[in-house]
């Protein structure tokens, strides 16, 4: 290829990777549903979007290191405190049964469906056992199932990629050393590969601690240090044994996320953006290597294999893995309806299939097109059906709001009471003992004590919280937490506006969603409430009393919409309004002790 063609190919690949993810975000569908057809179409229609021509023989090595970065990022999102009890038991069983039953089913069906030797069927089977955070995570964000189901599937998807990668390398080397005859399958190599990956992960954790904690690097240099350590450790482990870098990467992430001594950067926007770009580039590049001609002979047999994996194998895996656990029937069924294949399946197929074909293994060239079809089909099936299936099984959270209110002033507690009257499931948190006593006396559910841990650890999430409202007396606290908590909540984070003449260090200069508008900043609402104003709950269809301000709308489906600085919120006929009334006028001789408005006459 000429230099101009290489530049054009790189530009098209990047544009397709980014454009596909933007389009998927607009359509509210998993990005893979757009990325895979985009790459396949570009590869079929052009001669420039081909990684073998753009990168050459180094493409497999780049894929391996890129996947290591993705798994390291996945490891950073895993909290070991959540892997306990029933969750741990189910995850371990899922790993075992997913590997055994999927691998066994493909080995049994492969020679019959595709007419391939046992070695090819075995290689294909071990490739298809993996799932992965790149597909499971976005699907779960789209579906929003119960916390317990989400934890099980996230842990399974992250761990099975590393296990499947090592197992694929063992099968690959076993085939090259003499096929799958007795004595040639290297169980010791599998265990040794896991040991290499674990040791590499520990080394990676130590190196990260020395750079992040010992050198006290900031956000920019800390991000660069993470990239360097993960690439170094993954490459070193892969040099010892293929694909052990995947385990090293995810273990490094686990250590960094769960060892208290680490000083991880509070926010990782560049790293997260880089991972998203890598995912897009990999899927576009790998799918571009699949030609229409290679798909035609395997299309119908692959559809039969996909049907068996989706309708028989995965439900059986979930049934055996969740047997005699406290998961509800609907949760068990949903686990059985979530096993999309992702980037590790694509990368291992790309890496191993070409080498096996070059070594003269008959029919090894079907591995990549069959894997591609399985990835596309499973992403489509689960991506389009998971949400309605979750609703039917009763494991989706639905749209009903569960806001967290931070603050314990009387007006905040009164607002929480009003929201609860409107049918909203409210949580509250406050710093002082007096405010916590006030919340408890009002009968409002207090938030669990891990809130401060979430504030200092960006990898933790406030599970079950749909939005956060920062309503404390400290405007700087509200401003800072509106930034810190933004990535720890599934929904938006709002703060009450500071007084216009505030002299805080942060609040006057921080952007973000500000509640109620410029006329109802914090001190105004608090003073109005002290003077006797109260929150009123009424149907949107009823006439609004004079001098009342709409602060929230509770929609008929349970969604909560606040009035913000951007403008008032609209309400439909069947919605419910939360209004803040005016302070009642008081006579001059009132002895209530509250401030009053004087009659100008």
């Amino acid at each position: 290829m000429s230099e101009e063609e290489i530049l054009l190919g790189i530009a098209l690949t990047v544009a397709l990777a980014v454009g596909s993810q933007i389009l998927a975000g607009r359509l509210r569908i998993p990005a893979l549903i757009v990325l895979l057809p985009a790459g396949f179409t570009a590869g079929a229609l052009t001669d420039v979007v081909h990684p073998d021509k753009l990168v050459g023989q180094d493409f497999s090595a780049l894929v391996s290191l890129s996947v290591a970065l993705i798994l390291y990022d996945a490891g950073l999102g895993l909290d070991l405190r959540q892997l306990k009890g029933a969750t741990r038991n189910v995850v371990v069983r899922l790993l075992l049964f997913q590997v055994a039953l999927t691998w066994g089913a493909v080995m049994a069906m492969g020679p019959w469906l595709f007419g391939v030797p046992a070695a090819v069927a075995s290689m294909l089977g071990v490739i298809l056992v993996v799932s992965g955070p790149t597909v499971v995570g976005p699907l779960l964000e789209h579906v929003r199932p119960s916390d317990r189901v989400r934890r099980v599937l996230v842990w399974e998807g992250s761990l099975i990629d590393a296990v499947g990668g090592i197992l694929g390398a063992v099968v690959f080397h076993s085939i090259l050393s003499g096929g799958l005859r007795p004595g040639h399958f290297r169980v010791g190599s599998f265990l040794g590969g896991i040991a290499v990956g674990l040791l590499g992960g520990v080394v990676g954790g130590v190196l990260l601690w020395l750079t992040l904690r010992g050198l006290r690097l900031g956000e920019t240099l800390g991000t660069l240090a993470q990239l360097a350590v993960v690439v170094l450790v993954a490459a070193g482990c892969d040099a010892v044994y293929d694909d052990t870098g995947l385990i090293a990467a995810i273990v490094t992430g686990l250590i960094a996320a769960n060892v208290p001594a680490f000083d991880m950067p509070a926010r990782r926007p560049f790293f997260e953006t880089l991972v998203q770009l890598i995912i897009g580039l990999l899927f576009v590049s790998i799918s571009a290597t699949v030609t229409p001609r290679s798909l035609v002979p395997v299309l119908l047999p692959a559809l039969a294999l996909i049907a068996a994996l989706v309708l028989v194998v995965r439900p059986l895996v979930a049934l055996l893995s969740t047997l005699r656990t406290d998961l509800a029937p609907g949760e068990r069924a949903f686990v059985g309806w979530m096993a999309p294949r992702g980037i590790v399946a694509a990368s291992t197929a790309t890496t191993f299939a070409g080498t096996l074909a070059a070594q003269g293994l008959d029919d090894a060239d079907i591995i990549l097109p069959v894997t591609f079809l399985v990835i596309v089909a499973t992403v489509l099936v689960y991506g389009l059906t998971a949400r309605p299936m979750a609703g039917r099984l009763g494991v989706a959270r639905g749209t009903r709001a569960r806001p967290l209110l931070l603050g314990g002033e009387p007006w905040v507690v009164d607002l929480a009471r009003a929201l609860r009257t409107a049918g909203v499931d409210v949580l509250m948190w406050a710093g002082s003992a007096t405010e916590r006593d006030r919340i408890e006396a009002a009968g409002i559910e207090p938030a669990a004590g891990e809130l401060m841990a979430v504030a200092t650890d960006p990898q933790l999430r406030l599970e079950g919280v749909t939005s956060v409202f920062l309503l404390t007396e400290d405007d700087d606290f509200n401003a800072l937490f509106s930034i810190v908590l933004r990535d720890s909540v599934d929904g938006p984070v709002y703060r009450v506006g500071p007084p216009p003449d505030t002299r805080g260090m942060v609040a006057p200069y921080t952007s973000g969603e500000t509640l109620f508008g410029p006329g109802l900043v914090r001190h105004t609402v608090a003073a109005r409430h002290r003077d006797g104003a109260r929150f009123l709950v009424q149907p949107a269809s009823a006439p609004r009393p004079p001098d009342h301000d709409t602060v929230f709308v509770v929609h008929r489906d349970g969604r909560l919409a606040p009035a913000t600085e951007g403008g008032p919120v609209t309400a439909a006929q069947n919605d419910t309004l939360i209004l803040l009334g005016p302070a009642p006028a008081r006579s001059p001789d009132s002895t209530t002790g509250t401030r009053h408005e004087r009659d100008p006459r």
Side-chain angles (χ1 to χ4, degrees), residues 422 536-545 550 552-556 569-579:
L536 173 67
V537 180
Q538 71 166 46
S541 57
R544 194 177 74 174
T550 302
F552 284 97
V553 172
V554 181
H555 293 290
R556 184 181 182 183
V569 62
T570 58
Q573 190 76 5
N574 295 318
D575 295 340
T576 302
L577 302 180
I578 309 293
L579 308 173

Side-chain angles (χ1 to χ4, degrees), residues 102 109 111 166 169 190 203 215 237 243 263 310 326 390 397 432 439 467 469 485 487 527 556 575 592:
T102 302
M109 299 177 65
I166 294 293
F190 174 65
V203 171
L215 300 179
C237 290
D243 281 353
D263 186 18
V310 172
D326 60 352
R397 290 182 189 164
S432 72
I439 292 170
S467 56
F469 298 93
L485 291 177
D487 294 331
R556 184 181 182 183
D575 295 340
T592 59

Side-chain angles (χ1 to χ4, degrees), residues 154-443:
V154 166
W155 273 97
E156 182 207 6
S158 299
L159 296 181
I160 202 167
D161 271 2
V163 173
I166 294 293
L167 195 56
V170 172
V171 172
F172 172 74
H173 288 290
S174 298
I175 292 173
L176 291 182
S177 67
L180 293 176
R181 296 190 302 273
H184 287 278
F185 183 76
R186 303 178 175 183
V187 177
S189 296
F190 174 65
L191 299 177
I194 292 179
V196 169
L198 292 175
L199 179 60
V202 173
V203 171
V206 172
L207 290 175
L208 270 185
W209 185 87
L210 290 174
T211 53
L212 297 179
R213 182 73 174 181
L215 300 179
R216 297 199 176 275
L217 301 179
E219 181 178 317
T220 301
L221 292 178
T223 299
L224 293 176
Q226 291 177 74
L227 290 173
V229 167
V230 174
V231 169
L232 176 64
V233 169
C237 290
D238 282 344
V240 176
Y241 199 87
D242 289 337
D243 281 353
T244 53
L246 302 182
I247 287 184
I250 199 168
V251 170
T252 302
L254 273 169
I255 293 173
N258 291 276
V259 174
F262 271 85
D263 186 18
M264 296 295 292
R267 291 178 61 77
R268 306 177 297 116
F270 173 76
F271 196 89
E272 294 166 353
T273 302
L274 177 64
V275 168
Q276 286 301 114
L277 179 61
I278 289 173
I279 291 171
L281 293 175
L282 287 181
F283 276 117
V284 168
S285 300
I286 291 173
S287 57
T289 64
V290 181
T291 64
R293 181 180 299 178
S294 67
L295 294 179
V296 173
V298 299
L299 180 59
L300 291 179
L303 291 177
L305 177 63
I306 292 162
L309 292 176
V310 172
L311 300 177
V312 179
V313 175
R314 180 60 184 188
L316 182 59
V317 167
L319 175 65
L320 296 175
S321 302
T322 60
L323 200 63
R324 296 180 180 176
T325 66
D326 60 352
L327 266 68
E331 293 175 325
R332 298 172 62 187
F334 186 77
V335 171
W337 194 254
M338 185 57 62
R341 273 59 176 184
I343 191 61
V344 173
S347 64
T348 51
T350 302
T351 302
F352 297 143
T355 304
L356 292 175
Q359 293 293 323
L361 182 64
D362 293 338
D363 299 318
D365 55 349
I366 74 139
I367 293 175
L368 182 56
V370 172
T371 303
F372 175 80
L373 289 172
V374 172
I375 293 173
V376 172
T378 54
V379 169
L380 281 173
V381 168
Y382 295 124
L384 297 176
T385 64
R387 193 164 189 172
M389 184 66 72
R392 181 172 298 180
L393 295 173
V395 300
R397 290 182 189 164
T399 57
R400 183 163 296 277
R402 194 170 193 243
L404 170 63
L405 276 58
L406 272 70
E409 288 190 82
W411 74 269
V412 180
V413 176
D414 194 24
L415 174 61
R417 286 198 194 98
L419 289 169
R420 190 174 60 176
T421 301
V424 178
D425 183 13
V426 180
L427 290 172
M428 292 193 72
W429 181 90
S432 72
T434 301
E435 291 179 335
R436 289 195 295 269
D437 291 342
R438 187 180 294 133
I439 292 170
E440 184 178 350

Side-chain angles (χ1 to χ4, degrees), residues 109-122:
M109 299 177 65
W112 174 63
L113 287 174
F114 303 103
V116 296
V120 173
S122 177

